[in-house]
Amino acid sequence: MISSLLKKHFGLWLAVLIFMSALLACSGKKYEAIPFGAKVLVIGDSITAGYGLSPEQAWTRTLAAETGWQVINAGVSGDTTAGGNERLPALLDEHQPLAVIIELGGNDMLRRQSPASIAANVETMIGEISRRGYRPILMAVPKPNIAGVVFASLSDAPLYVGIGKQKNIPVIEDILSDTLSKPELKLDELHPNSEGHRQIGKGVAGALRKQGLVR
């Protein structure tokens, strides 16, 4: 009796197992790799600019070393998504990169700009990058949170993952939040120190590697 029941349902269980395996295999979306030596522009704020440090200590240098890309640092301290929008066309004209990493929004949130206005500016940048045939990549920024700073538990503002899903583009998650949650990796309350920048560069490279962008 038991043997016949097992035989009867074996095919069903096998089908379920195959389906679950396929689902797990597809859960991590992969993108086309960015080749060695390609130009990659990073447009950002003081985090990308390397506030308080020398240009050689900014996380973009570590990213270049980890990937073999020509990483162009276009970080400007205090920049916002609106400022990034204004700067982007000239930067694309000048550098003609294969891909652009957008690291902006932190200053908008500190100035209490609405998530909708931040998202609108980021989406405009993504549209401009895509329209020119380049590849946009979005870097999630932590939402300002006093408790998160005090208890070392910052988390990404949710709008970044939402934009990534809507636009079907890669999103680098948790790297800035994790780094800025660790006092030993910070120069001050808002900025990473040199080791923090090194960790960000390695973390970004690792996140992009998992998504297939780094060979």
Side-chain angles (χ1 to χ4, degrees), residues 81 105 108-109 111-123 143-144 157-160 163:
T81 55
D108 299 68
M109 288 183 272
R111 297 173 188 181
R112 300 187 182 279
Q113 297 295 315
S114 70
S117 68
I118 298 170
N121 286 329
V122 171
E123 288 170 6
K143 57 185 177 184
L159 67 93
Y160 295 95
I163 294 171

Side-chain angles (χ1 to χ4, degrees), residues 44-48 59 101-106 109 138-143 153-156 160 172-182 185-186 189-192 196-197 199-201 203-204:
D45 51 31
S46 57
I47 299 291
T48 293
W59 67 266
I101 299 174
I102 302 170
E103 180 276 306
L104 285 168
M109 288 183 272
L138 193 54
M139 190 166 179
V141 174
K143 57 185 177 184
S153 59
L154 291 169
S155 59
D156 294 346
Y160 295 95
I172 303 162
E173 299 180 59
D174 300 323
I175 304 300
L176 292 184
S177 293
D178 289 349
T179 300
L180 293 173
S181 290
K182 297 173 181 175
L185 297 179
K186 294 200 294 185
E189 291 304 320
L190 298 175
H191 302 100
H197 272 271
Q199 293 292 333
I200 291 169
V204 169

Side-chain angles (χ1 to χ4, degrees), residues 27-189:
S27 60
K29 184 173 177 60
K30 299 289 185 180
Y31 298 89
E32 181 183 352
I34 296 172
F36 188 91
K39 283 185 182 180
V40 175
L41 175 72
V42 184
I43 183 166
D45 51 31
S46 57
I47 299 291
T48 293
Y51 172 86
L53 304 172
S54 67
E56 292 75 20
Q57 293 174 303
W59 67 266
T60 50
R61 289 296 183 94
T62 301
L63 178 63
E66 291 281 322
T67 60
W69 299 339
Q70 298 180 55
V71 181
I72 301 154
N73 188 324
V76 172
S77 292
D79 203 11
T80 62
T81 55
N85 252 331
E86 292 178 4
R87 293 197 294 127
L88 181 62
L91 288 168
L92 295 179
D93 288 342
E94 179 182 358
H95 299 291
Q96 300 181 20
L98 179 63
V100 181
I101 299 174
I102 302 170
E103 180 276 306
L104 285 168
N107 289 312
D108 299 68
M109 288 183 272
L110 288 171
R111 297 173 188 181
R112 300 187 182 279
Q113 297 295 315
S114 70
S117 68
I118 298 170
N121 286 329
V122 171
E123 288 170 6
T124 300
M125 280 188 277
I126 291 169
E128 180 68 13
I129 295 163
S130 300
R131 184 183 67 79
R132 297 191 185 212
Y134 308 138
R135 299 173 60 181
I137 300 169
L138 193 54
M139 190 166 179
V141 174
K143 57 185 177 184
N145 186 329
I146 294 174
V149 172
V150 172
F151 296 105
S153 59
L154 291 169
S155 59
D156 294 346
L159 67 93
Y160 295 95
V161 170
I163 294 171
K165 288 180 179 177
Q166 179 187 355
K167 300 296 184 180
N168 192 29
I169 64 169
V171 180
I172 303 162
E173 299 180 59
D174 300 323
I175 304 300
L176 292 184
S177 293
D178 289 349
T179 300
L180 293 173
S181 290
K182 297 173 181 175
E184 68 273 18
L185 297 179
K186 294 200 294 185
L187 187 67
D188 56 31
E189 291 304 320

